[in-house]
Every structure is written in structure tokens, then in C-alpha cells.
């Protein structure tokens, strides 16, 4: 009797197993799955390179020099993000709306816009160098910034081409470029490390060289055709500005404290405190790698889903993405919380013993930020980039209040808690804003 029962249950379970296997095969064969995996893998390579570079600098040069490198990298990241919000973000959204015959000229306009912003960034770094020579600010940055000035145009072009590939769903192109950059940059840094000549300045030289080679390779292959039509460039800039200004303002407000906190730590404590925050940020960035990789795919996918299937299609994409983030990033948070500072000392040296609490708080901040990313992409998809400002302003104010209260007495841990508080407030406000706007859109559609 028991045997017949088992056979009967096995007969019932067989169709379910076959159905699950079929679903798994369809998922693995899906173009969306391949693109999502490529996006995450690409971001893993980029973040892995950043993590390895940070670890090598910490071991070879110490916590103080890591803090100096972090300050210089913040300048580079700021320039990249301004370019991304004003050029790549509008391109990602509006490329889908261009006629096939006009896409080459539209892409050409993006190259012109990128060159304008690269020139402004170059001028901005020159201006900051003058300020440093006047004795205002950390003078240890002068020598590294000269090397950053040389690397800046190539690093910005590489970042532009990488996001261009994402917008065009050319994830393999982005992957090939970033593998090239990783091998060259990491190989150069390792050679300098083993010869005892590694400095913060040489890091920027390695970055610029690797980016330049990748950009030349992209130009030789030209996976995305472009045609520069000078008269159209200004027209496209004005059109993109309507979207890009809100994306830029949202980023400037939402990420302001991310740029300010390292400098605040250096001013209120020293570059060693900045180095502690940098190392812990790199550890939490292992989860951030996954978030950013998925976001590279989520942005064009959300736009396309909303354009094709309306709010229902957009909600499906957002729901799946949020579930993936909670599962994956939540597991990472648990691992960091359990291991304490063991990972930090293993990866960055004994100078970082006792900083496990900072890493744990920052990993939780990544989890909250991942949910804010989902809501922010949703607002982009429904063409309401200005609505992100509500969440960004709320996050900025919360982070600022917490930082003023905590950084002075808690140092790097206070900065981490401030980031966590701001991330939580931003996620809640962005999610609520999208829910209200989606209800309005649905009501308007029913009224029509």
C-alpha cells in the first residue's frame, strides 16, 4: 500500500518536474536572461577591478594613501556621473523613440555632447589644481590630480561608450571593453606593486592607458553606427536637456552626501578615516556590483516594457527585479554581519581591524538603495524623471542631519549610519511617489 502511494505521488510529481525543467530551459534560452547575465557579469568585472585596485593600494601604500586616492577618484566619478545623467540617460530613453534612419545621427550628437562635457570636466580639474596650489584643501592631491588630468578624457570616453552599449542592448560589447580595461589596468598595477613603484599617481596613469586602448578598439569595430551632423547636435542637446536636467539634478541631490562625506571625514578627522570608509565601501560594493549590473539592464528594459505593455508590463519587471535584489543583497548583508571585520582584514590588511560595524551598516544601505533604484527606474520609464527629486531631497536632508549629528563623534561609522538613514528615506519616498503617479496614469487611462 505504501509502495503504491509512493508510485502514485511520483506519477503526479513527474509532470510538475517536467514543467519546471521546461521553464528553466526557456529562461536560460531567453534573450532577456542572457542580457541580464551579461550586464551583471560586466558590472562584476568593473567593480572587481575597482575592489582589487583599492585592496592593492591599501596593502602597498597604507590607509592614508588610500584616503588620498579615494578623494581623487571622487572627482573622476563625479565627472562620469554628470556625463551619464546629461548624455547617456536621455540617450537610453529617447533612442527607443527614434526612427531607424535617424538613429545614427542621434548617436553622433551624443558623441558631440560627450566631448563638450569632457572639455568642461578638464577645465574644472585645472581650476581645482589652482585652488590647491593656493594652499586651500589637501595638498597631497596635487601630484595625483596632474595624472588624473591626463587620464580624464580617456576614462570619460570609456564610460560613455560602455553606457552607449547598454542602451543599445550590446552587452557583449561592453563586456569585451571592460575585460580589456581590466587586464591592462590590473596588469600594470600589479607590475608596479611587485617592483615597489606603485603610487596614487601611477594608478591614474594605468586607468587612462587602459581606457584609451579600449576606446580605440571600440572605434575600430564600431558596433553602433554614428554620424555627426553638427546642425542637429544643438537641437538634440536642447531636446535631451528637458530630460537630462532632471536626471542630473536628481543625481546631484541624491548623491551629494556620497561625494561630501569623504571630504567631511578628512576635514573633521584625517585621510585615514576616509580610507576606512573607502575600504568598507568597496566591500559593500560587492553587493552594489550586482545592483548596478541589474540596473544597466533594468533601465532600457523598463522603458521598453512600459512602451509595449503599459503599467502592467512595467509592474511585472519591477516586481521581479525587487525580489531578486532582496534575495541576493539580503544574503550578502547577512554574510557581512556574521563575519564582522574578518573580511576587511583579509582583503585590506590589519589596519582595518575593528571596522566590521562600518561594513555591515554600508551593506544594509546597499539593500535599501537597490529598492530605490527600482523605483527610480520606474519613474524614468513613465517619463517622470523630475519626480525623483522628491525622494532625493528627502534622502539628502536625512543624510545631512544624521551626518552632522554622528560624523564628528563616530567618524567613519557615523558616516555609514548617515548613508543608511538617507538610503532608507529615499527608498520609501521614491516608492510612494511612483505608486501615486502610477495610480493617476491608470485612472487617466480608464477615463479615456
Amino acid at each position: 500500500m505504501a509502495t503504491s502511494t509512493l508510485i502514485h505521488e511520483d506519477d503526479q510529481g513527474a509532470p510538475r518536474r517536467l514543467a519546471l525543467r521546461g521553464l528553466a530551459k526557456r529562461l536560460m534560452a531567453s534573450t532577456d536572461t542572457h542580457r541580464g547575465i551579461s550586464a551583471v557579469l560586466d558590472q562584476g568585472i568593473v567593480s572587481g577591478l575597482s575592489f582589487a585596485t583599492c585592496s592593492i593600494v591599501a596593502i602597498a601604500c597604507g590607509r592614508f594613501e588610500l584616503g588620498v586616492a579615494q578623494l581623487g577618484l571622487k572627482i573622476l566619478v563625479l565627472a562620469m556621473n554628470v556625463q551619464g545623467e546629461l548624455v547617456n540617460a536621455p540617450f537610453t530613453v529617447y533612442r527607443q523613440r527614434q526612427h531607424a534612419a535617424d538613429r545614427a545621427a542621434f548617436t553622433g550628437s551624443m558623441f558631440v555632447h560627450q566631448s563638450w562635457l569632457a572639455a568642461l570636466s578638464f577645465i574644472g580639474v585645472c581650476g581645482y589644481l589652482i585652488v590647491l596650489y593656493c594652499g586651500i584643501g589637501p595638498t597631497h592631491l596635487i601630484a595625483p590630480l596632474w595624472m588624473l588630468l591626463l587620464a580624464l578624457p580617456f576614462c570619460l570616453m570609456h564610460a560613455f561608450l560602455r553606457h552607449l552599449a547598454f542602451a543599445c542592448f550590446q552587452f557583449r560589447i561592453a563586456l569585451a571593453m571592460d575585460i580589456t580595461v581590466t587586464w591592462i589596468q590590473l596588469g600594470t598595477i600589479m607590475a608596479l606593486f611587485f617592483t615597489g613603484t606603485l603610487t596614487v599617481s601611477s594608478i591614474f596613469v594605468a586607468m587612462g592607458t587602459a581606457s584609451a586602448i579600449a576606446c580605440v578598439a571600440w572605434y575600430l569595430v564600431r558596433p553602433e553606427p554614428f554620424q555627426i551632423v553638427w546642425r542637429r547636435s544643438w537641437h538634440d542637446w536642447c531636446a535631451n536637456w528637458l530630460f537630462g536636467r532632471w536626471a542630473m539634478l536628481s543625481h546631484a541631490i541624491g548623491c551629494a552626501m556620497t561625494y561630501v562625506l569623504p571630504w567631511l571625514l578628512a576635514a573633521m578627522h584625517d585621510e585615514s578615516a576616509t580610507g576606512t570608509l573607502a575600504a568598507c565601501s568597496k566591500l559593500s560594493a560587492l553587493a552594489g556590483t550586482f545592483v548596478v549590473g541589474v540596473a544597466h539592464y533594468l533601465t532600457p528594459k523598463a522603458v521598453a516594457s512600459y512602451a509595449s505593455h503599459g503599467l502592467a508590463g512595467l509592474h511585472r519587471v519591477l516586481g521581479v527585479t525587487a525580489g531578486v535584489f532582496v534575495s541576493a543583497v539580503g544574503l550578502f548583508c547577512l554574510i557581512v554581519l556574521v563575519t564582522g571585520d574578518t573580511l576587511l582584514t583579509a582583503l585590506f590588511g590589519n589596519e582595518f581591524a575593528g571596522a566590521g560595524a562600518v561594513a555591515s551598516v554600508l551593506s544594509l544601505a546597499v539593500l535599501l538603495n537597490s529598492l530605490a533604484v527600482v523605483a527610480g527606474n520606474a519613474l524614468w520609464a513613465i517619463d517622470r524623471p523630475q519626480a525623483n527629486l522628491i525622494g532625493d531631497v528627502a534622502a539628502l536632508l536625512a543624510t545631512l542631519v544624521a551626518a552632522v549629528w554622528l560624523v564628528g563623534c563616530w567618524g567613519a561609522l557615523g558616516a555609514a549610519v548617515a548613508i543608511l538613514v538617507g538610503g532608507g528615506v529615499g527608498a520609501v519616498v521614491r516608492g510612494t511617489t511612483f505608486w501615486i503617479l502610477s495610480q493617476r496614469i491608470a485612472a487617466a487611462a480608464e477615463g479615456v
Side-chain angles (χ1 to χ4, degrees):
M1 186 69 176
T3 305
S4 63
T5 302
L6 288 174
I7 293 174
H8 179 65
E9 289 177 353
D10 186 67
D11 289 341
Q12 288 182 330
R16 286 196 293 268
R17 287 195 298 271
L18 290 174
L20 288 174
R21 289 174 185 173
L23 176 61
K25 288 181 179 179
R26 288 194 297 273
L27 286 174
M28 292 308 298
S30 168
T31 301
D32 287 342
T33 301
H34 291 167
R35 288 171 173 174
I37 292 173
S38 296
V40 173
L41 179 60
D42 175 82
Q43 187 59 38
I45 291 172
V46 172
S47 296
L49 174 61
S50 177
F51 184 88
T53 301
C54 180
S55 179
I56 294 170
V57 172
I59 294 172
C61 305
R63 193 165 54 155
F64 184 87
E65 289 298 311
L66 177 60
V68 173
Q70 177 74 355
L71 295 178
L73 286 172
K74 282 299 180 183
I75 295 174
L76 176 60
V77 171
L78 175 61
M80 287 181 174
N81 286 333
V82 169
Q83 172 183 278
E85 303 299 338
L86 292 181
V87 180
N88 290 111
F91 178 78
T92 301
V93 174
Y94 294 140
R95 179 184 181 275
Q96 307 293 335
R97 306 176 186 179
Q98 298 290 318
H99 295 293
D102 296 331
R103 284 184 178 174
F106 185 63
T107 304
S109 295
M110 300 307 105
F111 277 86
V112 175
H113 302 166
Q114 191 277 332
S115 66
W116 293 345
L117 292 179
L120 289 176
S121 298
F122 189 91
I123 294 170
V125 175
C126 289
Y128 186 58
L129 274 170
I130 294 174
V131 172
L132 291 178
Y133 273 113
C134 292
I136 303 173
T139 55
H140 301 92
L141 267 177
I142 292 177
L145 279 188
W146 275 112
M147 296 301 102
L148 175 61
L149 198 63
L150 297 177
L152 186 67
F154 304 109
C155 292
L156 289 178
M157 177 57 75
H158 168 228
F160 166 73
L161 294 176
R162 181 170 176 263
H163 287 89
L164 184 77
F166 291 141
C168 301
F169 293 100
Q170 297 170 348
F171 296 99
R172 293 182 180 179
I173 296 297
L175 188 60
M177 287 182 64
D178 291 329
I179 289 174
T180 300
V181 169
T182 298
W183 277 108
I184 297 172
Q185 180 176 322
L186 192 57
T188 304
I189 291 173
M190 290 301 296
L192 294 170
F193 173 73
F194 285 117
T195 57
T197 57
L198 183 67
T199 63
V200 176
S201 298
S202 63
I203 294 293
F204 293 126
V205 173
M207 292 174 63
T209 302
S211 295
I213 293 173
C215 292
V216 170
W218 186 96
Y219 184 79
L220 293 175
V221 176
R222 285 205 198 185
E224 180 68 15
F226 67 92
Q227 178 185 5
I228 295 178
V229 181
W230 294 103
R231 288 179 297 178
R232 174 170 177 165
S233 298
W234 179 249
H235 170 77
D236 286 335
W237 172 264
C238 293
N240 289 354
W241 175 250
L242 298 176
F243 182 98
R245 62 181 178 180
W246 294 111
M248 182 64 250
L249 184 59
S250 174
H251 176 82
I253 294 174
C255 298
M257 292 306 296
T258 304
Y259 299 113
V260 170
L261 282 175
W263 298 88
L264 184 62
L265 274 172
M268 298 183 70
H269 296 274
D270 56 19
E271 281 83 352
S272 296
T274 303
T276 298
L277 183 65
C280 294
S281 297
K282 289 302 178 184
L283 182 60
S284 65
L286 293 176
T289 294
F290 178 77
V291 174
V292 175
V294 174
H296 284 322
Y297 172 71
L298 172 62
T299 303
K301 180 63 178 179
V303 172
S305 295
Y306 180 67
S308 302
H309 306 290
L311 283 174
L314 177 60
H315 287 159
R316 283 195 296 271
V317 172
L318 299 178
V320 171
T321 306
V324 169
F325 281 157
V326 171
S327 301
V329 182
L331 177 61
F332 176 84
C333 292
L334 181 61
I335 293 173
V336 174
L337 189 63
V338 170
T339 57
D341 59 355
T342 303
L343 286 174
L344 282 171
T345 54
L347 295 169
F348 300 102
N350 292 328
E351 277 191 282
F352 297 91
V358 180
S360 298
V361 172
L362 287 175
S363 65
L364 290 173
V366 173
L367 176 59
L368 295 179
N369 183 64
S370 69
L371 300 179
V373 166
V374 174
N377 275 272
L379 292 172
W380 278 17
I382 62 175
D383 203 11
R384 301 291 195 281
Q386 64 273 27
N388 274 311
L389 285 176
I390 303 171
D392 293 326
V393 170
L396 173 62
L397 293 176
T399 307
L400 181 61
V401 171
V404 170
W405 184 34
L406 298 174
V407 169
C409 54
W410 287 5
L413 179 59
V417 172
I419 293 171
L420 175 65
V421 171
V425 171
V428 170
V429 175
R430 278 191 180 189
T432 303
T433 302
F434 170 68
W435 183 81
I436 293 173
L437 290 176
S438 63
Q439 292 298 308
R440 292 178 181 175
I441 292 173
E446 291 177 1
V448 173

